[in-house]
């Protein structure tokens, strides 16, 4: 099969398109004919060698952790998914790649919502998995209020929409230019900066303070901690407007499907 691959760490120039061996679905997996794959910050960190102390790669290597496509092989023990189904999902986490190819094996997946194109679905799985895991860890349920830092970003947007789908009230920090977008998601936008969090009961999934927002503590970009200094003295930060509309990318049933699949992934 044709695949994007690289044979050494480096910039985008190390990527090449070449023949690679086809993968096959093992127990609990499906293989898809890939229609779209996402390029995430983690793909970049891995290819550049930024994470080689944490995850040293074997070469040649196919990038891509998120993908969408049509199932063409179903592994032993898989139920509820058949050949021909349109799905989106994640490659096995221990492989940390493999989706930028004609065929890819997925270990966690859900059926692609009809309203989504393959391109949209192909970039969604990592953020859906992260958002679902965070909401589960917080015990997020109807009636709760959630503050999401960086709500207009990839992980934030998905967490906000899935939280709204669970019936939570969501407040999201973002730059002013993204406030209208958050309004459209049913999220109350707030400008980020010091003094944002009021004293009161809070819950966190137990991550250490100061780690990367919304994830595994990975840097977003080199030197990121110096970017976008937080504005000070903005008393109008919280605009007390009720959410206007809600965008639900996944029906509740679909969200549960993702969660079920994700629980099978060893960590
Ligand atoms: N599996 C995982 O654990 C996982 C998965 C996905 C992401 N992550 C992690 O989650 C983090 C976010 O990733 P992403 O893909 O969502 O990034 P992203 O799309 O670049 O979004 C980051 C957001 O952070 C906001 N931001 C910038 N400076 C800020 C500040 N000082 N205070 C509050 N918010 C600020 C930006 O908001 P404005 O544009 O509105 O200024 C931006 O929308 C990264 O650390 C990433 O590694 C982890």
């Amino acid at each position: 099969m044709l695949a994007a691959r690289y044979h050494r760490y480096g910039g985008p120039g190390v990527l090449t398109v070449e023949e690679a061996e086809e993968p096959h679905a093992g127990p609990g997996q499906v293989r898809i004919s890939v229609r779209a794959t996402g390029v995430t910050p983690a793909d970049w960190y891995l290819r550049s060698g930024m994470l080689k102390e944490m995850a040293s790669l074997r070469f040649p290597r196919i990038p891509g952790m998120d993908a969408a496509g049509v199932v063409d092989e179903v592994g032993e023990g898989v139920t509820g998914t058949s050949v021909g189904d349109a799905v989106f999902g994640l490659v096995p986490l221990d492989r940390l790649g493999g989706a930028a190819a004609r065929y890819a094996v997925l270990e966690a997946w859900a059926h692609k919502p009809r309203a989504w194109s393959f391109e949209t679905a192909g970039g969604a799985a990592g953020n859906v998995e992260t958002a679902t895991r965070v909401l589960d860890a917080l015990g997020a349920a109807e009636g709760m209020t959630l503050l999401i830092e960086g709500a207009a970003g990839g992980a934030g947007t998905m967490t906000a929409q899935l939280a709204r789908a669970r019936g939570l009230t969501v407040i999201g920090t973002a730059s002013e230019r993204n406030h209208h977008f958050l309004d459209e998601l049913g999220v109350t936008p707030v400008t980020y900066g010091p003094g944002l969090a009021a004293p009161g009961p809070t819950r966190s999934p137990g991550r250490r303070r100061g780690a990367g927002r919304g994830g595994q503590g990975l840097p977003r970009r080199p030197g990121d901690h110096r970017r976008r200094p937080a504005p000070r003295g903005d008393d109008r930060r919280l605009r007390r407007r009720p959410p206007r509309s809600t965008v639900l990318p996944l029906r509740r049933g679909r969200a549960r499907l993702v969660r079920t699949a994700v629980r099978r992934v060893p960590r």
Side-chain angles (χ1 to χ4, degrees), residues 28-30 32 67 71 74-75 78-82 85 87-90 106-111 125 254 257-262 264:
Q29 301 176 333
V30 294
I32 59 168
V71 174
V74 176
V78 171
T79 54
T81 303
S82 310
D85 288 359
V87 299
F88 71 107
L90 292 166
L106 302 183
E107 194 167 68
W109 66 90
H111 287 93
R254 296 292 187 219
L257 249 182
V258 172
R259 205 157 57 234
T260 305
V262 163
R264 290 205 304 267

Side-chain angles (χ1 to χ4, degrees), residues 202-264:
T202 57
R203 285 202 209 177
S204 88
R207 293 181 56 250
R208 70 193 154 81
R209 193 177 164 82
R213 281 180 295 280
Q216 295 154 330
L218 302 177
R220 289 191 308 119
R221 292 180 189 97
D224 232 16
H225 56 290
R226 293 192 300 272
R227 296 171 69 236
R228 302 184 194 178
R232 289 174 188 278
D234 181 4
D235 293 329
R236 294 164 301 159
R237 200 171 287 139
L238 181 57
R239 299 191 288 155
R240 293 181 191 283
R241 271 191 276 160
R244 274 206 316 250
S245 61
T246 307
V247 175
L248 305 179
L250 302 172
R251 295 199 309 268
R252 280 171 183 265
R254 296 292 187 219
R256 274 200 294 275
L257 249 182
V258 172
R259 205 157 57 234
T260 305
V262 163
R263 284 209 178 111
R264 290 205 304 267

Side-chain angles (χ1 to χ4, degrees), residues 127 130 133 149-150 152-156 173-175 177-178 192 212-216 218 220-221 228:
N127 286 327
T130 301
R133 183 157 37 93
E149 283 271 44
T173 65
S175 301
R177 66 193 160 89
N178 287 324
Y192 45 73
R213 281 180 295 280
Q216 295 154 330
L218 302 177
R220 289 191 308 119
R221 292 180 189 97
R228 302 184 194 178

Side-chain angles (χ1 to χ4, degrees), residues 131-141 144 146-147 159 166 168 202-206:
T132 305
R133 183 157 37 93
V134 166
L135 292 173
D136 284 352
L138 289 168
M144 289 171 65
L146 186 68
L147 170 66
T159 309
R166 291 186 188 200
L168 278 78
T202 57
R203 285 202 209 177
S204 88

Side-chain angles (χ1 to χ4, degrees), residues 15-40:
L15 285 167
T16 179
V17 175
E18 60 190 18
E19 281 294 328
E21 201 178 324
E22 279 186 22
H24 291 283
Q29 301 176 333
V30 294
R31 187 178 86 161
I32 59 168
S33 171
V34 176
R35 297 288 173 83
T37 180
V39 178
T40 67

